[in-house]
Amino acid sequence: MGLYDKFTPYIHYREHVQASGLCPFGTCIDEIYSATEGRIGHQKIILAGTNNYLGLTFNPQAIASGQAALASQGTGTTGSRMANGSYGTHLALEQDLATFFNRPTAIVFSTGYTANLGIISTLADHDAIVLLDADCHASIYDACTLGGADIIRFRHNDARDLERRMLRLGARAREAIIIVEGIYSMLGDVAPLVDIADVKRRLGGYLIVDEAHSFGVMGHTGRGLAEALGVEQDVDIITGTFSKSLASVGGFAVGSLEMEALRYSSRPYIFTASPSPSTIASVRSSLRTISQHPALRETLWENARRLYQGLEKLGYTLGPNISPVVPVVMGSTEEGLRFWRNLIEKHVYVNLVLPPATPAGKTLLRCSVSAAHSKAQIDTIIEAFAALKR
Ligand code: PMP
């Protein structure tokens, strides 16, 4: 058996898709013009499939801060946080995040994926029990596998199912780790965090919330779903990413001072290079922008409402609630592929997401909204979907 033989079915599928036109897997955006516009091949496109929720990728202050750090601190740290990769600015960003979240400490990681890996794999070791929402992100599943914990999946967004499973654990529930997300990235739905926090209060355990898609998007100050629902004190650790609202790359966790111990035991923290100085500088700048410009969040939600209601009026099947993530449910993979290509012809780029990356085996055209979209751009996206209905 050859080294790559097991991939033959995927290669054939990809070739089959490519033979009939543009391929949706790893699509190259040939040029990027702004937070909302780019070019694929000869088509100028509106970017409606990013995680650029606040539209800060081209924010002038973030760019200037990144450029200044590039010039003064160089292109990269060339080392891990543990060795030579913790600069003053990495620590300053940790302080910024701790202050923003009003928590004793924050730890910066190289990506959101490694933030989950670094925190969860270290806590969820062989002796631990993890109860996780069935729809949790791959990084959370991978973290549990790396740590070696016993994994118990509960039904997506079902606090009663969580409670049932915790009751079965008896006294062990008191040490269990519960993991959920804020906004779920595929359907745009949110965790029933009030009910989950209530279960934790009654039965014990520790609660970790990945606010990757809700940070900057929800809550009075943008801290996420836990802030929006007033249950921050019930959440032990919040993890998140710099690759969505913060418009860069990297990840973080905020929690109690005891979390500091993980810096000396977390392999995904210790054995990978730290984010570059320019990355850290642009993130610090965008965090300030999030604090100082709450109106960005209002614009984001206005745009989300406009897109959701526009597509709903056309009769499309969407996610359960209005959210910056607007999934359009397709009847089949073939229909999804046809729609995805036709949307590009109409200058609109969304993400085609196929099972097993999607819940319940659905094929989705995952649209996402940015505060940087103009009303005219949102209407163009709706019009493109309308033309496909006709
Ligand atoms: N958590 C969730 C819920 C995510 O959706 C993602 C990325 N899409 C991550 C973590 C990983 O973040 P990053 O891209 O920074 O690695």
Side-chain angles (χ1 to χ4, degrees):
M1 171 121 162
L3 189 57
Y4 300 106
D5 284 357
K6 61 185 172 205
F7 301 110
T8 304
Y10 301 107
I11 293 165
H12 284 166
Y13 182 64
R14 196 188 161 101
E15 283 169 354
H16 164 73
V17 170
Q18 269 169 337
S20 59
L22 193 61
C23 184
F25 314 122
T27 313
C28 176
I29 295 171
D30 294 290
E31 265 190 282
I32 185 94
Y33 303 127
S34 71
T36 59
E37 287 173 313
R39 177 176 64 76
I40 294 178
H42 62 277
Q43 292 288 6
K44 205 170 162 197
I45 43 156
I46 295 174
L47 295 164
T50 71
N51 301 299
N52 197 358
Y53 298 122
L54 300 179
L56 297 179
T57 47
F58 281 77
N59 178 271
Q61 285 96 35
I63 291 174
S65 303
Q67 283 169 336
L70 192 59
S72 64
Q73 297 176 59
T75 53
T77 65
T78 74
S80 81
R81 295 297 313 276
M82 187 66 145
N84 54 300
S86 280
Y87 290 4
T89 47
H90 292 77
L91 301 187
L93 174 54
E94 289 178 339
Q95 186 53 58
D96 295 346
L97 285 163
T99 305
F100 184 82
F101 277 94
N102 197 21
R103 299 257 176 176
T105 201
I107 303 181
V108 162
F109 291 85
S110 303
T111 63
Y113 182 90
T114 43
N116 277 338
L117 222 55
I119 294 291
I120 297 167
S121 74
T122 316
L123 294 173
D125 61 10
H126 288 96
D127 300 325
I129 299 171
V130 177
L131 292 127
L132 55 85
D133 184 290
D135 282 3
C136 274
H137 188 255
S139 56
I140 297 171
Y141 277 96
D142 292 355
C144 293
T145 307
L146 181 64
D150 271 348
I151 303 174
I152 301 172
R153 287 162 25 128
F154 61 92
R155 271 206 302 273
H156 176 56
N157 275 355
D158 188 340
R160 291 288 73 79
D161 193 38
L162 168 67
E163 178 169 6
R164 265 194 303 276
R165 288 167 193 273
M166 283 190 73
L167 284 170
R168 269 186 230 147
L169 288 175
R172 290 191 303 160
R174 284 202 286 278
E175 270 87 52
I177 302 170
I178 304 162
I179 310 178
V180 299
E181 297 179 20
I183 294 179
Y184 284 85
S185 61
M186 288 297 141
L187 294 180
D189 49 345
V190 297
L193 219 43
V194 170
D195 296 341
I196 288 169
D198 176 59
V199 172
K200 182 203 151 180
R201 251 178 261 142
R202 287 186 287 109
L203 302 183
Y206 301 95
L207 178 58
I208 300 180
V209 181
D210 178 348
E211 299 261 20
H213 292 267
S214 35
F215 172 78
V217 168
M218 300 189 78
H220 178 61
T221 66
R223 295 205 290 249
L225 179 66
E227 182 186 34
L229 298 181
V231 293
E232 285 177 290
Q233 71 283 1
D234 295 295
V235 180
D236 296 280
I237 299 177
I238 288 177
T239 62
T241 175
F242 301 157
S243 71
K244 304 186 195 309
S245 284
L246 286 164
S248 185
V249 66
F252 69 88
V254 294
S256 69
L257 273 185
E258 293 156 296
M259 197 178 76
E260 283 291 317
L262 299 193
R263 290 190 201 264
Y264 307 99
S265 47
S266 168
R267 295 170 71 84
Y269 176 79
I270 297 169
F271 293 106
T272 194
S274 63
S276 71
S278 56
T279 298
I280 295 294
S282 71
V283 171
R284 291 190 72 199
S285 170
S286 292
L287 188 59
R288 274 194 299 278
T289 304
I290 291 177
S291 306
Q292 292 165 4
H293 298 279
L296 278 172
R297 240 179 337 278
E298 284 165 31
T299 310
L300 170 66
W301 282 96
E302 274 166 30
N303 285 347
R305 256 189 306 279
R306 194 176 182 95
L307 182 62
Y308 190 96
Q309 288 167 350
L311 295 179
E312 192 177 41
K313 220 176 275 169
L314 293 172
Y316 283 103
T317 306
L318 307 175
N321 45 256
I322 294 174
S323 149
V325 176
V326 185
V328 181
V329 182
M330 294 281 105
S332 65
T333 302
E334 291 68 35
E335 186 186 41
L337 182 59
R338 195 172 68 245
F339 267 61
W340 180 81
R341 284 183 178 146
N342 286 335
L343 284 169
I344 291 183
E345 287 297 315
K346 301 191 179 317
H347 309 282
V348 172
Y349 179 82
V350 302
N351 296 120
L352 175 64
V353 220
L354 306 177
T358 52
K362 291 186 168 84
T363 294
L364 303 176
L365 291 174
R366 177 188 181 274
C367 307
S368 72
V369 174
S370 171
H373 282 126
S374 65
K375 302 285 176 267
Q377 284 176 322
I378 300 286
D379 291 346
T380 303
I381 299 166
I382 297 168
E383 181 45 43
F385 273 96
L388 296 188
K389 267 271 177 205
R390 293 195 290 268

